[in-house]
């Protein structure tokens, strides 16, 4: 387990040790341990079926772990109960609201579940849904529903927010709007526990990232650390309509093809790029849209697991 | 408590905004009663059975003759629960209590001097006891009064007398003696049907849908407890059901002139039992079904046989033996019969305890199985 250095010295808001959960013979969460510091954005990354939603649902009090220790708000708990739920906010991946209630009715309903909290109207302003207060939930778009989910998660003024795929299925504009809200929440000192399979989201927002696969944490660190530790050196990407088998021999194991788009992983950019260009000139092969790209978390995941995150 | 009440109000809002539910659970019972009332409203339920007690204080032959006459004339519609001889104060008080406590619909008291007065050509008054404002009791009194008049006419014809021989004197009268209309018979059946439909369709419709799409999970990610969720749901369902029962009653009262004492404790007890049994069945369907569609299919499986073999709309006393057995184990049969009896509409085919016990058994077994099988979040 790595040491989250963001708020070093400040007691963590959440600490998980050796968490386990099985469904029959399937081990969904297999000895997961991590620490979340207060006031940070912590991202749990992994492909579908990696065990991240089960992990989060245990931490939200929706499922019971089979084994492991959870320390939340400085207290060790067997399971997350009402006391802890009053201090956390939740956006579920597959959560929904009564479609025949109006937006303000849903907010007032959820507000009644908490002893203390924020003004629902102010939260609607914050997420940009003030003009939809009287609309039925079923008439909202996907992005508006996600923003409503976020407003509801903030109703009890939570210290820790669990956001499970909060931008899944949203267009880039709606996604950036939510990113902006999350950044402002972090600036207010809120802690955000984010699960996502959007790499650019994790890279843009996270202070600390855990990568999960097959129920285990396989790497963790800041996004920059992970890329420098596990990422390949550089990528040269280009498109070519020509057969590439001779090139595959030349760069064995380092060339990936996605349709016409080729991606070449290079250790020594000068030497490998020169070799590629020479080969293309000799074979009279056109290399269109050639770009040199630095590796990202997606590449880290690929190099660690051999699979793409969204597979 | 605030959370429970707010959630109950939210359930009511969604229920009232759902168009399908509005028709099937709100309008349909009213439309059904309206249709049945319009088609069969003029039909009198002469074949309704009533329980009658006879007290013969007369030591002469005419008292027994009158009893035999009553047997032959109204025996098809009336069951003579007991026939007592003698006319002591205690005996009369006990019969009066039986009428007041609804153990019988009416009682006929033949006076000690009946034979002597009739033979002497002195007009004789016979007392009929019945309960005020209750249709079944009024029917029994009406049957007795008509039979007495006929007995008097026959006697005059045989004896050649001219004066009116027998006069029925009705006691505890709250209005004119009358017969039970078809609408009065069917109205409790429609109320039971409305409760039943709401229970077996509304409950799974709301719970399985909430489970399937993640609404329930979202609620349980807050400090709201699962029992609070279900309590709020049942609270709203109870309120809506009682409102619906009231609407059906009001339609009967103002459109068809029915007079049924729905607020009598026994009637309310049967309404609550009908609600609880229907909701328990709905809960069981919610526990058994994995999907919303599956829940609706399962609800129909319960709905059709139970409703049509429940005697809700027409009396079903002359069914083949196998169907009679199904009828006897059908909770709706007992709920409808129990409610009708509580409203004073008819005598019972089954004993009173069976009308309570059978629905209670369904209620208990359904809740037991539902609690064992239901997985609120689909977790094993």
């Amino acid at each position: 387990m790595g040491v989250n250095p963001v708020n070093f010295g400040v007691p963590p808001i959440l600490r998980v040790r050796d968490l386990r959960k099985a469904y029959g013979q399937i081990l969904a969460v297999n000895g997961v341990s991590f620490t979340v510091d207060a006031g940070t954005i912590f991202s749990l990354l992994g492909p579908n079926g990696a065990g991240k939603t089960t992990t989060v649902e245990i931490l939200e009090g929706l499922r019971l772990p089979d084994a492991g220790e959870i320390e939340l708000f400085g207290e060790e708990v067997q399971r997350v109960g009402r006391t802890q739920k009053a201090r956390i906010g939740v956006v579920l991946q597959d959560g929904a609201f009564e479609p025949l209630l109006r937006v303000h009715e849903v907010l007032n309903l959820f507000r009644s579940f908490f002893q203390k909290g924020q003004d629902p109207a102010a939260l609607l302003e914050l997420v940009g849904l003030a003009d939809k207060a009287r609309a039925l939930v079923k008439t909202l778009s996907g992005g508006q529903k996600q923003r409503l989910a976020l407003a509801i998660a903030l109703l009890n003024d939570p210290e820790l927010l669990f956001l499970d795929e909060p931008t899944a299925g949203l267009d880039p504009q709606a996604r950036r709007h939510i990113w902006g809200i999350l950044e402002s929440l972090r600036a207010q000192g809120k802690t955000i526990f984010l699960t996502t399979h959007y790499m650019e989201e994790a890279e843009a927002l996270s202070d600390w990232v855990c990568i999960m696969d097959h129920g285990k944490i396989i790497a963790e660190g800041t996004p920059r650390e992970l890329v420098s530790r596990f990422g390949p050196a550089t990528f040269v990407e280009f498109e070519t309509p020509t057969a590439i088998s001779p090139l595959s021999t030349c760069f064995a194991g380092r060339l990936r093809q996605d349709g016409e788009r080729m991606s070449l992983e290079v250790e020594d950019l000068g030497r490998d790029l020169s070799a590629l260009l020479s080969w293309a000139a000799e074979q009279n092969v056109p290399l269109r849209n050639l770009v040199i790209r630095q590796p990202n978390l997606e590449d880290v995941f690929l190099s660690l697991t051999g699979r793409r995150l969204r597979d | 408590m605030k959370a429970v009440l707010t959630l109950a109000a939210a359930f009511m809002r969604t229920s009232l905004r759902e168009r399908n539910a509005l028709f099937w659970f709100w309008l349909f019972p009213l439309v059904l009663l309206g249709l049945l009332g319009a088609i069969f409203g003029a039909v009198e339920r002469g074949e309704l059975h009533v329980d009658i007690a006879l007290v013969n204080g007369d030591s002469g032959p005419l008292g027994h003759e009158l009893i035999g006459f009553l047997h032959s004339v109204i025996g098809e519609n009336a069951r003579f629960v007991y026939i007592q001889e003698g006319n002591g104060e205690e005996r009369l008080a006990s019969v009066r209590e039986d009428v007041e406590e609804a153990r019988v619909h009416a009682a006929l008291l033949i006076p000690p001097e009946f034979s002597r007065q009739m033979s002497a050509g002195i007009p004789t008054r016979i007392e009929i006891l019945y309960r005020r404002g209750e249709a079944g009791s009024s029917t029994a009194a009406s049957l007795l009064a008509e039979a007495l008049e006929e007995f008097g006419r026959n006697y005059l014809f045989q004896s050649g007398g001219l004066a009116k021989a027998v006069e029925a004197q009705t006691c505890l009268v709250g209005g004119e003696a009358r017969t039970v209309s078809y609408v009065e018979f069917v109205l409790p059946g429609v109320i039971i049907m409305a409760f039943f439909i709401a229970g077996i369709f509304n409950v799974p419709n709301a719970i399985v849908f909430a489970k399937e799409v993640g609404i329930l999970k979202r609620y349980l990610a807050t400090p709201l407890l699962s029992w609070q969720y279900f309590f709020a749901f049942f609270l709203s369902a109870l309120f809506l059901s009682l409102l619906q029962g009231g609407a059906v009653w009001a339609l009967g009262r103002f459109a068809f002139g029915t007079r049924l004492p729905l607020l009598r404790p026994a009637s309310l007890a049967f309404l609550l039992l009908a609600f609880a049994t229907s909701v328990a069945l709905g809960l069981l369907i919610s526990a058994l079904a994995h999907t919303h569609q599956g829940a609706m299919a399962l609800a129909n499986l319960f709905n059709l046989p139970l409703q049509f073999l429940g005697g809700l709309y027409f009396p079903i006393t002359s069914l083949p033996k196998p169907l009679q057995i199904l009828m006897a184990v059908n909770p709706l049969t007992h709920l409808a019969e129990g409610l009708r009896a509580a409203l004073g509409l008819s005598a019972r085919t089954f004993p009173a305890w069976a009308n309570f016990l059978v629905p209670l058994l369904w209620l208990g077994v359904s809740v037991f199985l539902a609690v064992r099988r239901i997985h609120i979040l689909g977790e094993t």
Side-chain angles (χ1 to χ4, degrees):
Chain A
M1 185 173 65
V3 177
N4 183 339
V6 180
N7 278 347
F8 192 71
V10 177
I13 198 164
L14 170 66
R15 197 197 302 268
V16 172
R17 289 188 210 96
D18 201 22
L19 194 68
R20 288 167 196 274
K21 176 75 183 176
Y23 299 111
Q25 297 295 311
I26 300 163
L27 211 53
V29 179
N30 185 10
V32 164
S33 301
F34 55 79
T35 300
V36 180
D37 282 337
T40 64
I41 296 182
F42 175 101
S43 289
L44 187 61
L45 305 185
N48 290 333
K52 54 188 196 305
T53 293
T54 300
T55 304
V56 174
E57 286 187 350
I58 291 170
L59 300 175
E60 291 165 345
L62 291 170
R63 293 186 189 278
L64 279 174
D66 294 337
E69 293 170 15
I70 301 168
E71 192 184 305
L72 186 55
F73 304 120
E75 279 182 52
E76 193 147 318
V77 290
Q78 292 297 311
R79 69 168 298 174
V80 176
R82 292 188 84 190
T83 318
Q84 291 80 32
K85 284 179 183 177
R87 298 169 69 181
I88 64 174
V90 169
V91 172
L92 295 173
Q93 184 183 358
D94 54 358
F97 305 105
E98 286 287 354
L100 291 173
L101 286 182
R102 298 185 193 285
V103 167
H104 73 93
E105 289 169 346
V106 178
L107 279 159
N108 289 330
L109 172 62
F110 276 83
R111 178 66 188 81
S112 75
F113 300 157
F114 299 98
Q115 297 280 335
K116 66 174 187 69
Q118 306 198 67
D119 174 25
L123 287 171
L124 280 184
E125 285 285 348
L126 176 76
V127 299
L129 284 178
D131 59 331
K132 293 284 179 187
R134 293 199 56 77
L136 290 176
V137 169
K138 69 173 184 178
T139 64
L140 299 182
S141 68
Q144 288 168 336
K145 280 181 186 159
Q146 286 296 76
R147 281 187 275 154
L148 172 62
L150 188 57
I152 287 169
L154 294 170
L155 267 171
N156 56 329
D157 198 12
E159 295 157 64
L160 173 59
L161 260 173
F162 287 100
L163 309 178
D164 195 0
E165 306 280 0
T167 60
L170 300 189
D171 60 60
Q173 193 186 355
R175 192 176 299 163
R176 294 217 172 254
H177 186 195
I178 288 188
W179 290 6
I181 295 170
L182 298 186
E183 279 168 341
S184 74
L185 289 170
R186 174 172 51 187
Q188 292 167 33
K190 306 283 184 205
T191 309
I192 296 169
F193 188 115
L194 180 72
T195 62
T196 182
H197 59 247
Y198 290 124
M199 287 301 98
E200 64 278 23
E201 185 164 283
E203 282 193 72
L205 296 171
S206 310
D207 297 304
W208 193 260
V209 171
C210 276
I211 297 179
M212 194 172 183
D213 192 29
H214 297 305
K216 291 183 171 182
I217 301 288
I218 55 173
E220 64 177 311
T222 64
R224 190 183 292 268
E225 271 175 11
L226 286 173
V227 169
S228 64
R229 202 181 334 154
F230 299 105
T234 307
F235 286 100
V236 176
E237 292 182 346
F238 54 92
E239 289 168 9
T240 175
T242 313
I244 53 141
S245 44
L247 193 60
S248 303
T249 318
C250 201
F251 295 103
R254 292 192 283 150
L255 189 69
R256 289 202 309 265
Q257 183 176 10
D258 186 7
E260 283 192 358
R261 189 84 185 151
M262 312 297 295
S263 182
L264 178 63
E265 184 184 323
V266 296
E267 292 293 334
D268 184 330
L269 178 62
R271 189 194 64 208
D272 290 341
L273 184 60
S274 170
L276 173 67
L277 293 174
S278 304
W279 173 84
E282 280 168 23
Q283 303 294 319
N284 198 24
V285 172
L287 301 178
R288 294 186 206 133
N289 300 324
L290 188 143
V291 291
I292 296 165
R293 177 176 71 75
Q294 291 303 307
N296 57 25
L297 283 177
E298 179 81 46
D299 303 309
V300 170
F301 185 81
L302 189 67
S303 75
L304 285 170
T305 67
R307 288 182 293 132
R308 285 187 179 278
L309 198 58
R310 285 173 226 185
D311 284 350
Chain B
M1 196 60 192
K2 186 187 170 196
V4 171
L5 291 178
T6 315
L7 189 55
F11 282 133
M12 277 187 259
R13 279 196 196 98
T14 51
S15 173
L16 293 172
R17 285 175 189 162
E18 173 64 60
R19 280 182 200 167
N20 277 338
L22 265 184
F23 176 76
W24 286 107
F25 309 128
W26 284 93
L27 281 179
F28 181 68
L30 298 175
V31 169
L32 183 68
L33 180 64
L35 279 175
L36 291 174
I39 297 167
F40 302 109
V43 178
E44 288 190 341
R45 290 276 307 126
E47 69 269 27
L48 270 184
H49 289 253
V50 288
D51 284 347
I52 288 173
L54 295 176
V55 178
N56 184 12
D58 182 31
S59 50
L62 285 179
H64 287 107
E65 200 174 310
L66 173 59
I67 290 170
F69 180 79
L70 291 175
H71 272 289
S72 64
V73 174
I74 60 170
E76 275 188 17
N77 299 68
R79 185 163 66 114
F80 295 98
V81 178
Y82 58 79
I83 302 165
Q84 290 189 347
E85 298 288 337
N87 207 22
E89 279 299 316
E90 272 185 29
R91 187 161 294 169
L92 288 177
S94 142
V95 171
R96 188 175 290 274
E97 192 183 306
D98 283 344
V99 175
E100 283 169 358
E101 297 295 320
R103 286 191 279 269
V104 292
H105 287 101
L108 182 112
L109 310 179
I110 303 171
E113 300 298 319
F114 181 61
S115 291
R116 193 186 60 77
Q117 286 179 334
M118 290 282 282
S119 306
I122 304 166
T124 308
R125 303 185 78 174
I126 291 186
E127 232 180 346
I128 298 169
L129 306 181
Y130 78 108
R131 285 186 301 281
R132 197 185 305 266
E134 185 187 297
S137 200
S138 302
T139 305
S142 176
L143 285 171
L144 286 171
E146 284 169 20
L148 280 182
E149 202 161 314
E150 197 177 337
F151 180 80
R153 275 200 304 273
N154 288 351
Y155 184 80
L156 283 179
F157 181 74
Q158 285 166 8
S159 64
L162 291 171
K164 192 171 184 179
V166 182
E167 187 181 337
Q169 183 190 6
T170 49
C171 296
L172 295 175
V173 179
E176 292 294 310
R178 62 193 178 86
T179 53
V180 176
S181 70
Y182 174 75
V183 177
E184 282 172 322
F185 171 82
V186 82
L187 193 142
V190 172
I191 292 178
I192 297 291
M193 180 276 287
F195 280 26
F196 180 64
I197 293 284
I200 65 162
F201 284 100
N202 254 0
V203 173
N205 188 44
I207 292 178
V208 179
F209 176 73
K211 207 165 81 169
E212 205 171 43
V213 303
I215 294 171
L216 188 52
K217 189 192 258 187
R218 185 61 192 85
Y219 284 139
L220 297 179
T222 69
L224 187 78
L225 299 169
S226 50
W227 73 260
Q228 288 180 307
Y229 171 85
F230 284 107
F231 184 64
F233 182 81
F234 297 139
L235 205 61
S236 74
L238 177 64
F239 181 77
L240 292 175
S241 291
L242 291 179
L243 211 61
Q244 193 181 40
V248 173
W249 178 88
L251 182 69
R253 175 74 185 86
F254 298 112
F256 299 102
T258 58
R259 286 175 293 165
L260 299 174
L262 209 58
L263 294 179
R264 182 182 284 173
S267 315
L268 286 176
F270 263 101
L271 287 176
L272 281 178
L273 184 61
F275 168 78
T277 308
S278 306
V279 163
L281 274 170
L283 204 59
L284 178 61
I285 292 167
S286 308
L288 294 175
H290 296 292
T291 62
H292 183 249
Q293 275 187 327
M296 292 302 101
L298 205 54
N300 267 318
L301 206 65
F302 277 95
N303 178 34
L304 296 174
L306 291 188
Q307 216 184 122
F308 286 108
L309 284 176
L312 299 181
Y313 315 115
F314 300 96
I316 42 173
T317 47
S318 53
L319 289 174
K321 196 77 182 169
L323 290 182
Q324 276 185 24
I325 295 168
L326 287 179
M327 199 183 113
V329 296
N330 183 348
L332 298 191
T333 310
H334 297 280
L335 289 168
E337 189 181 292
L339 182 58
R340 284 191 183 113
L343 293 168
L345 286 175
S346 67
R348 298 175 179 104
T349 309
F350 299 98
W353 61 262
N355 288 339
F356 261 109
L357 191 66
V358 173
L360 265 180
L361 278 173
W362 277 81
L363 169 67
V365 171
S366 300
V367 169
F368 175 75
L369 291 176
V371 167
R372 281 176 67 92
R373 278 197 60 100
I374 203 161
H375 302 300
I376 293 171
L377 297 177
E379 187 170 10
T380 53

